[in-house]
Amino acid sequence: MARANETVAALLQEYADLLSITQGDAFKARAYEKAARAIAGHSSDVAGLDAKGLRDIPNVGKSIADKVAEYLEGGSIAVVEEARTAIPPGVRELVAIPGLGPRKAMQLYEDLGISSVDGLLDAVTRHRLRDLKGFGAKTEDNIRHGIELMQKAGGRILVSSAMDVAEQIVAELSAIDGCVRCTYAGSLRRMRETIGDIDILVAAEDSAPFMAAIGELPQTAEIIAGGAKKTSVRTTKGLQVDLRVLPPSAWGAGLQYFTGSKEHNVRIREIAVRRKLKLSEYGLFHAKSGEMIVSETEREIYERLDLPWIPPPLRENRGEIEAGQRGELPDLVTDADIRGDLHTHTDLTDGVSTLEEMVAAAAARGYAYYAVTDHAPNLYMQRMTTEKMLAQRDRVRALDGTHGRMRLLHGTELNIAPDGSLDWPDDVLAGFDVCVASIHSHFTQSRDELTRRLIRACESPYVSVIGHPTTRRIGKRPGIDADFDAVFEACARTGTALEIDSHPERLDLRDEDILRARKYGVKFSIDSDAHSTTHLPYIRFGVGTAQRAWLTKDDVINTWPLGRLRKFLAAKRPRA
């Protein structure tokens, strides 16, 4: 079963938004936002905690703990329900538009009577917003873009949310007698960043037990359609899951077919036709006689078509078939290749786990090295100081070597200011083992300004990695408008790595950007950007994105042995 933390965190975040709309109480809203983040990242399921256990979660005091307990006992929180009734539903819908925010949403309702996304889009088209206080032509453009972003996402969900559901269902169905094999397929197996629905495949002689079981799972809200070979259900969170049961003898063909992509499969079927063969979800057949040739494994299907097995993340018809025919498919980076994490946070800034907890969790993952990179002073809300940073460095040095052979690196996530400058002077930066530099504000600068800003950060002799380079948040905030080809060239020239931020809301760089950057000779760092111990496993999604971009472990600096990594980090720095 899924943890209650996600649902509770979503409720508290919603209440924070409602408070911002109804009361304008930024301090109280911020308190609930912090509590929501802390609960989402807490290592234990809040459903199993007593009152004291809830209060022990960072940023969760008695009042918030009581509300969490109220939800766990009765399934709702009275103050949230009351706040909902005070706000027209359409205004809550507007808050979901990237870049709008609760206060502006309420202003639009009060001043213009706008209470729907369609109504807002009409008002933007007719330029009704630009004369409102706090708005303008630029704001209208941003809102229009935010609406387009939200509509483009449609009913798709983040890969992490889909993976949680899929793995739970696979585990449940795999335990049923008669299950020979069970896995997820479709865009989830290809590690797309967002997922429309989930495809689950089972290999079994008798489909009936599985069709019955999926309808009875706790996460199933309704059965959309049922049958002997396929059943579709909708989960309690509105996600469609399609279950197909295949004969074990047809497993390979079915897995290949239902993994996709459509474009990849069209090409594969064209190759089959040229060989006077027919490929379907049931197998590879002689076109004329109908005789089965192979069907049991994917590898057999590809080999019979004179192709190597093509890893699912590559199956997008972006040259993978031609590369396979030439024998030039890359040996893709894997989760097992990751030797360390170079971008993580603790509760010293905006994380929710302590330094000791984060280090222990990293060691449990078998890492050879691990970097702590809390925020730097110019992100003022995090209240970092040089004194705090130096005290943390002493703690990191004291912990180094206490978890087997894992080595600890003390780093920082710097803020790239609007002019491209960084938080600390060079003499302070020289004391860090690794510096990640990221943009956290002023996202709407001009294209030239944003480009110069990033390039100046690349040219710092102490910046090793540019963190979440486009700053996007999937479905919430578009990436910045910079000349990234110029940035990629600067990274290659200066020996600065680009981050693949593995947080499912970011996945930044995205696969298309990585493919472009790689052509310049850029190296990459796949990091979790973890703000709690529960975020460290996010690295799998960054690896999936890297695989979609054809990266090998030689392209990724945190797959390298520590000695090679240290040489890379030191290469830019002035020689003593």
Side-chain angles (χ1 to χ4, degrees):
M1 289 292 292
R3 303 190 317 154
N5 299 45
E6 183 180 339
T7 303
V8 170
L11 269 176
L12 295 180
Q13 181 59 56
E14 180 187 359
Y15 188 50
D17 291 339
L18 293 172
L19 285 172
S20 296
I21 296 171
T22 57
Q23 300 178 15
D25 190 337
F27 179 80
K28 189 174 181 180
R30 180 66 175 159
Y32 277 91
E33 287 177 357
K34 288 183 176 179
R37 291 189 60 183
I39 288 171
H42 193 59
S43 56
S44 300
D45 188 339
V46 294
L49 300 179
D50 59 15
K52 182 180 182 303
L54 292 172
R55 292 195 299 273
D56 285 342
I57 299 174
N59 299 312
V60 177
K62 182 179 184 304
S63 176
I64 295 177
D66 288 345
K67 291 178 177 63
V68 174
E70 180 185 351
Y71 169 78
L72 295 173
E73 291 171 9
S76 64
I77 301 175
V79 293
V80 177
E81 298 295 332
E82 292 170 9
R84 284 172 175 168
T85 62
I87 305 296
V91 176
R92 297 205 300 273
E93 183 184 1
L94 296 181
V95 173
I97 297 171
L100 185 56
R103 292 186 184 179
K104 277 188 164 59
M106 194 62 180
Q107 183 182 354
L108 290 171
Y109 175 75
E110 291 175 341
D111 292 355
L112 299 177
I114 297 171
S115 60
S116 70
V117 175
D118 288 342
L120 178 56
L121 186 57
D122 178 70
V124 168
T125 303
R126 294 162 56 192
H127 304 305
R128 296 182 62 206
L129 273 58
R130 59 184 57 189
D131 294 329
L132 293 179
K133 182 179 179 181
F135 288 78
K138 182 68 172 176
T139 307
E140 282 186 338
D141 289 340
N142 291 339
I143 289 174
R144 180 187 290 106
H145 190 69
I147 293 172
E148 291 170 354
L149 195 69
M150 185 173 70
Q151 291 175 336
K152 183 179 179 181
R156 301 181 70 84
I157 67 170
L158 297 179
V159 62
S160 56
S161 299
M163 188 69 77
D164 286 344
V165 173
E167 290 183 335
Q168 290 168 29
I169 293 175
V170 167
E172 295 274 1
L173 298 182
S174 295
I176 296 175
D177 288 343
C179 180
V180 178
R181 293 179 179 177
C182 182
T183 192
Y184 51 83
S187 56
L188 182 58
R189 188 170 179 234
R190 301 198 316 275
M191 292 298 284
R192 289 282 302 272
E193 63 191 35
T194 61
I195 310 299
D197 51 46
I198 295 174
D199 294 291
I200 302 290
L201 302 184
V202 168
E205 297 293 351
D206 182 7
S207 65
F210 303 94
M211 298 308 181
I214 195 167
E216 297 171 359
L217 293 179
Q219 55 266 57
T220 297
E222 63 173 333
I223 298 175
I224 301 171
K229 296 180 180 179
K230 175 184 174 183
T231 291
S232 297
V233 302
R234 197 174 312 281
T235 71
T236 52
K237 295 184 178 179
L239 182 63
Q240 181 171 325
V241 178
D242 296 327
L243 169 66
R244 293 175 175 86
V245 179
L246 308 168
S249 61
W251 175 257
L255 184 58
Q256 193 282 327
Y257 181 86
F258 290 112
T259 293
S261 66
K262 178 181 177 181
E263 294 77 12
H264 175 86
N265 284 355
V266 166
R267 293 290 312 283
I268 292 296
R269 288 197 296 273
E270 288 173 350
I271 293 172
V273 168
R274 288 198 296 269
R275 286 164 171 73
K276 301 187 185 311
L277 303 173
K278 179 181 178 182
L279 179 61
S280 74
E281 63 265 45
Y282 297 107
L284 186 64
F285 304 87
H286 284 292
K288 189 172 183 179
S289 69
E291 179 187 354
M292 167 80 75
I293 301 174
V294 290
S295 65
E296 195 167 345
T297 71
E298 281 191 319
R299 196 171 297 276
E300 290 174 337
I301 300 290
Y302 282 104
E303 286 179 353
R304 184 61 180 77
L305 299 174
D306 295 325
L307 287 166
W309 178 78
I310 298 176
L314 294 185
R315 300 181 195 175
E316 299 290 352
N317 193 31
R318 295 195 290 201
E320 72 277 6
I321 293 172
E322 292 79 3
Q325 290 170 330
R326 296 192 303 268
E328 296 176 358
L329 281 177
D331 186 7
L332 296 178
V333 63
T334 68
D335 291 2
D337 292 326
I338 301 297
R339 296 186 184 221
D341 199 332
L342 300 182
H343 180 181
T344 69
H345 299 274
T346 75
D347 62 353
L348 184 62
T349 54
D350 59 344
V352 299
S353 299
T354 65
L355 171 64
E356 290 75 12
E357 289 169 340
M358 294 296 288
V359 169
R365 293 182 60 79
Y367 285 152
Y369 46 84
Y370 175 74
V372 176
T373 56
D374 274 314
H375 289 289
N378 288 356
L379 200 61
Y380 299 111
M381 68 184 72
Q382 306 306 339
R383 300 179 181 177
M384 177 60 92
T385 64
T386 302
E387 291 72 25
K388 287 182 180 180
M389 176 274 292
L390 291 173
Q392 184 187 64
R393 181 173 295 166
D394 289 341
R395 292 170 63 201
V396 169
R397 301 294 184 239
L399 285 170
D400 189 23
T402 62
H403 288 273
R405 301 177 66 180
M406 185 177 78
R407 302 305 306 271
L408 297 182
L409 306 178
H410 189 238
T412 180
E413 184 183 11
L414 300 164
N415 306 284
I416 305 174
D419 64 356
S421 61
L422 306 170
D423 302 70
W424 276 300
D426 284 358
D427 62 329
V428 175
L429 296 181
F432 288 104
D433 298 313
V434 57
C435 294
V436 179
S438 310
I439 289 178
H440 293 105
S441 64
H442 298 82
F443 305 121
T444 58
Q445 285 182 298
S446 72
R447 181 179 177 85
D448 287 345
E449 288 172 326
L450 286 164
T451 303
R452 285 195 298 269
R453 185 177 175 185
L454 285 164
I455 290 175
R456 183 178 174 190
C458 291
E459 291 173 342
S460 165
Y462 298 101
V463 171
S464 304
V465 180
I466 299 296
H468 44 74
T470 77
T471 79
R472 74 163 184 170
R473 297 184 73 90
I474 298 172
K476 296 181 179 179
R477 184 173 71 214
I480 57 174
D481 179 22
D483 180 353
F484 276 99
D485 285 291
V487 174
F488 299 156
E489 187 281 328
C491 285
R493 170 172 52 82
T494 60
T496 307
L498 284 167
E499 182 176 62
I500 303 171
D501 189 309
S502 301
H503 194 291
E505 289 187 2
R506 290 190 184 274
L507 293 180
D508 182 10
L509 291 170
R510 58 180 186 155
D511 56 345
E512 294 94 335
D513 296 326
I514 300 168
L515 283 164
R516 283 167 50 209
R518 188 169 183 257
K519 293 178 180 178
Y520 288 86
V522 176
K523 297 300 183 182
F524 303 87
S525 180
I526 304 174
D527 303 317
S528 68
D529 193 2
H531 285 66
S532 87
T533 57
T534 61
H535 293 172
L536 290 173
Y538 285 164
I539 207 93
R540 68 187 294 197
F541 303 115
V543 170
T545 300
Q547 290 176 336
R548 289 179 57 79
W550 298 54
L551 294 192
T552 70
K553 63 181 182 180
D554 191 58
D555 297 312
V556 180
I557 64 173
N558 55 319
T559 68
W560 299 348
L562 182 57
R564 183 182 176 189
L565 174 65
R566 286 193 185 278
K567 288 180 181 178
F568 176 85
L569 298 177
K572 291 179 67 176
R573 298 192 172 204
R575 299 195 178 188

